[in-house]
Structures are given as structure tokens and as C-alpha cells.
Amino acid sequence: MKKINVTTSAVLYDNLSDLNQEDQKLMNDAIEARKKAYAPYSKFNVGAALLLENDIIITGNNQENAAYPSGMCAERVAIWKAGSEYPRVKIKKLVITAASLEYTVDKPVGPCGACRQAIHEFEFNQKEPIEIIFMGEVGKIIKVESLVSLLPFSFDSSFL
Ligand code: THU
């Protein structure tokens, strides 16, 4: 038997103003997208902004449904929008923000497990890392260099 240690690394920023200009702009786009979320059931609004290698920015937000599991997360709305409008154009960055109508979200909100898997499909195919930056409504911001930092031992098409 052998123990394997898996390490992950992230950068923690105290304020939005500590991000570079490009990341601040993407976060502002994600905030605007978040404000347009359709989340009447959870009252938890999420916004996402993607930067593509052709410099186009794609945004998305969560879209809920009265039949709860039929809803969709902001991150997957955004990446599938990118995949459908700009197939095979690489994604450089994904920026996420979340705010609740019921309390102040002051911790960074990372993508859910299903979104991590969906993002992984894109990162695996494009063979270049997707930087992921996430925050709540206020407070600290986390940045990881690649989806791999959020999803070790991941599953991909090489197994099939
Ligand atoms: N949600 C997202 O949009 N992204 C995530 O990564 C986590 C959860 C949405 C789904 C649902 O509309 C609401 O947040 C509460 O789960």
C-alpha cells in the first residue's frame, strides 16, 4: 500500500481591486449576469463570465424551474452557450459570483460538482487550463489556475 498526497493550490485575494484589470472586468460582467439570474425558488443568484481565446466574453446565470432538477447552474449555462456559439474556441477564464436575496454571501462560492465535471470536459478537450475565479457577493476572492485544482482524480473520455 502506498499513500498518495494530492495537493491543490489557490490564490486568495482580499478585495476585487486586488485583481488585475481583465479579471475585474470579467467579475463585473459576472455581477451583471448574476443580477439577471432566474432563481425564484432558491433566491440564490449566480452569475458567470467566460473569456474565450478570441477575446469574446460569454456570460450566464442560473435558470431555475418549478420542477427543481430541471434548472441549470450559471456556469453550465455559460460554458454551453460558449460551446454552442463558438465550438472549439478555447476558454481562458471562468469568473463566478453568487448572491442570496436572504443573506449576504461573504465567502467565495465555487462551482458545484456537476459544473466542475462539465468544465473539465472543455479543459480536457482544449488541452489548456481554464483559470477559475470565484467570490460571493462581497468578501474574498479565490483564483485557481486550472479546473484540475478543484477536481482531482477526475473522469474523462480517455477512460471510454
Ligand atoms: N448554482 C449555480 O448556479 N452554480 C453553482 O455552482 C452552485 C449552484 C445555482 C443552482 C440553483 O439555481 C441555485 O444556485 C441554488 O442551488
Side-chain angles (χ1 to χ4, degrees), residues 66-82:
Y68 295 173
S70 302
M72 185 47 62
C73 291
E75 296 90 327
R76 276 176 286 165
V77 167
I79 59 166
W80 288 334
K81 212 164 138 187

Side-chain angles (χ1 to χ4, degrees), residues 86-101:
Y86 299 97
R88 289 168 293 284
V89 176
K90 290 177 184 167
I91 299 169
K92 285 162 71 175
K93 297 180 178 185
L94 165 60
V95 176
I96 305 157
T97 170
S100 169
L101 299 184

Side-chain angles (χ1 to χ4, degrees), residues 38-39 42 44 46 61-64 72-75 109-112 115:
Y38 176 67
S42 70
F44 192 77
V46 185
N61 48 38
N62 50 331
Q63 296 292 317
E64 296 188 348
M72 185 47 62
C73 291
E75 296 90 327
V109 177
C112 78
C115 286

Side-chain angles (χ1 to χ4, degrees), residues 32-69:
E32 288 310 308
R34 189 190 75 208
K35 291 177 184 166
K36 292 185 267 185
Y38 176 67
Y41 306 106
S42 70
K43 300 185 174 29
F44 192 77
N45 296 328
V46 185
L50 294 177
L51 177 65
L52 305 185
E53 65 172 352
N54 61 8
D55 287 333
I56 283 174
I57 295 171
I58 303 279
T59 61
N61 48 38
N62 50 331
Q63 296 292 317
E64 296 188 348
N65 193 281
Y68 295 173

